[in-house]
Amino acid sequence: MDNIKAVAYLDTLGFSQAVTEDIDKAVLLLTEFNSVVESKFRDKELHPSSVYAEELRNLAKRTSFEDIEYFMPFSDSIFATSTNPDQFLLQMAHFVYESFMMEADRFAHPVDKSNPTLVQEVAFKLDDSGMPITDYQNSPHQPILFRGGFAYGEVYNLTPTAIVNGNKMKAATLAGEAVVRAVGLEKGLKGPRLSLEKELYEKLCADTRKYCRRVPEDNNRFEMLWPSMGFVTENSDEYSYRQEMENFHSMFNPAYNLWRYYKSDPELEPHYSSFIKMIIASTIQVYDIFFNDKLYAQQIIERTLENKGILSDFGDVLK
């Protein structure tokens, strides 16, 4: 049936706080991931996965938007659908990964180590003589992180009448039980997690399940380990997969700096603590399933945690 689909609901973490701090920055947060969407859609048209060599085709496909039927941002949320659950999950997970990584280096190497959310921006002003000069200002900036849910079932794509700038037009929207379930799955977990209902997980092929796990806090649902999208799992020779560990550090370092900054905030600390645990779990699972060298990942991560003095905080994830 055409109306049986996978549906995703993503919610932008930290948007409410960003609105109260700086509405302009909050709006920027919503528009930044738009460049990721534009890039993926451009690649879909210019470099479809079919043009790649066979050994690279799976990589090209899961990093694309080829199987996404609808992708609809609204305020700080996104709804999306697809008739191909396997590729849909991989492609949406890569979108979440790429959205975070777009600004991750700023948080990994902040201009102010005591506050990694401060970003140096260039401004122009006039000096006392009226001549324009360059001025550098530090302003707060939030990472692009999503929490969401994925469900499978009846979804209806509707085009009700809307009014935009006083003019009548057709707008795209979704309705259906699966939409409601996807929204409900977003709740209940801390951090930027992507929850899957059990019914959807059971429809996935074995290769897609390699990127998922059962939720530790709730055995009745699963989650997509989206940080695993940062690894080229086709690099299975020892030299290549050991080089892949750099991708762990590129995710862990900004997450660690943000967690350390928010450590005294009882509202935000659990989100970043959960994020770090997910990065660790994703890395270990990739090295275990795809590279058959779980011990190597455990040793590198344990050394990293020891160097940061946080082995007691996150060492349990290594088991």
Side-chain angles (χ1 to χ4, degrees):
M1 295 177 64
D2 291 342
N3 61 322
I4 303 300
K5 305 173 183 180
V7 58
Y9 169 74
L10 302 181
D11 183 61
T12 308
L13 284 180
F15 181 73
S16 298
Q17 180 185 0
V19 168
T20 59
E21 292 179 352
D22 189 327
I23 185 61
D24 292 331
K25 295 296 180 184
V27 172
L28 180 63
L29 188 67
L30 297 183
T31 58
E32 281 183 334
F33 66 77
N34 188 64
S35 64
V36 177
V37 178
E38 291 284 349
S39 174
K40 286 182 176 294
F41 201 82
R42 192 161 51 247
D43 286 344
K44 176 183 176 181
E45 295 180 322
L46 299 177
H47 308 290
S49 61
S50 59
V51 306
Y52 287 86
E54 186 175 354
E55 61 270 20
L56 296 175
R57 203 162 293 159
N58 285 336
L59 173 63
K61 196 166 182 62
R62 71 172 178 266
T63 60
S64 73
F65 256 19
E66 289 183 0
D67 293 275
I68 296 177
E69 177 188 32
Y70 280 79
F71 185 94
M72 301 181 296
F74 184 79
S75 185
D76 62 334
S77 302
I78 297 170
F79 287 93
T81 65
S82 174
T83 55
N84 186 338
D86 288 288
Q87 291 301 326
F88 180 59
L89 258 69
L90 295 172
Q91 290 168 16
M92 289 298 292
H94 193 271
F95 162 74
V96 172
Y97 162 77
E98 201 169 340
S99 295
F100 172 70
M101 293 305 297
M102 186 169 61
E103 301 286 346
D105 193 62
R106 290 183 171 185
F107 305 109
H109 306 96
V111 294
D112 183 346
K113 291 185 178 180
S114 67
N115 184 355
T117 69
L118 293 180
V119 173
Q120 190 175 76
E121 296 180 337
V122 178
F124 298 97
K125 65 179 183 179
L126 301 179
D127 63 14
D128 294 338
S129 64
M131 296 296 293
I133 59 172
T134 302
D135 185 31
Y136 295 94
Q137 300 175 349
N138 293 340
S139 60
H141 194 85
Q142 296 296 321
I144 304 173
L145 290 169
F146 295 98
R147 182 173 59 210
F150 290 77
Y152 186 80
E154 280 193 321
V155 181
Y156 294 91
N157 298 99
L158 308 176
T159 54
T161 300
I163 298 175
V164 178
N165 291 329
N167 299 312
K168 185 179 75 171
M169 64 173 291
K170 294 295 184 180
T173 189
L174 302 175
E177 187 180 346
V179 178
V180 176
R181 296 201 308 272
V183 173
L185 282 166
E186 184 266 339
K187 301 175 177 64
L189 296 180
K190 296 292 186 181
R193 315 274 287 277
L194 303 181
S195 299
L196 318 178
E197 63 179 6
K198 184 179 178 181
E199 293 78 6
L200 173 57
Y201 177 81
E202 291 175 345
K203 293 183 180 298
L204 301 177
C205 71
D207 286 340
T208 305
R209 290 186 185 186
K210 293 176 181 178
Y211 296 94
C212 304
R213 71 169 178 177
R214 192 181 292 272
V215 172
E217 306 96 312
D218 183 355
N219 285 333
N220 292 320
R221 57 173 157 171
F222 296 80
E223 68 178 316
M224 190 73 180
L225 292 173
W226 63 263
S228 60
M229 294 295 106
F231 299 94
V232 180
T233 51
E234 288 77 9
N235 285 338
S236 56
D237 65 278
E238 184 174 358
Y239 174 79
S240 296
Y241 76 63
R242 291 200 170 199
Q243 295 299 309
E244 286 291 318
M245 188 54 72
E246 285 301 314
N247 294 315
F248 162 76
H249 294 294
S250 69
M251 290 182 281
F252 173 83
N253 290 336
Y256 165 73
N257 285 340
L258 289 163
W259 168 77
R260 186 180 60 178
Y261 176 67
Y262 289 116
K263 192 174 181 180
S264 60
D265 188 323
E267 192 71 31
L268 295 178
E269 188 278 338
H271 292 292
Y272 288 100
S273 174
S274 175
F275 186 21
I276 289 177
K277 290 178 180 179
M278 184 172 57
I279 292 171
I280 295 172
S282 300
T283 304
I284 291 175
Q285 184 159 312
V286 164
Y287 272 76
D288 183 23
I289 295 176
F290 292 97
F291 303 147
N292 196 30
D293 199 347
K294 180 179 179 180
L295 181 61
Y296 175 73
Q298 289 173 317
Q299 290 173 336
I300 296 296
I301 295 172
E302 182 176 19
R303 192 181 312 149
T304 301
L305 298 178
E306 285 179 338
N307 291 339
K308 299 288 188 184
I310 56 172
L311 185 59
S312 60
D313 295 286
F314 301 103
D316 59 316
V317 189
L318 294 170
K319 300 174 182 177

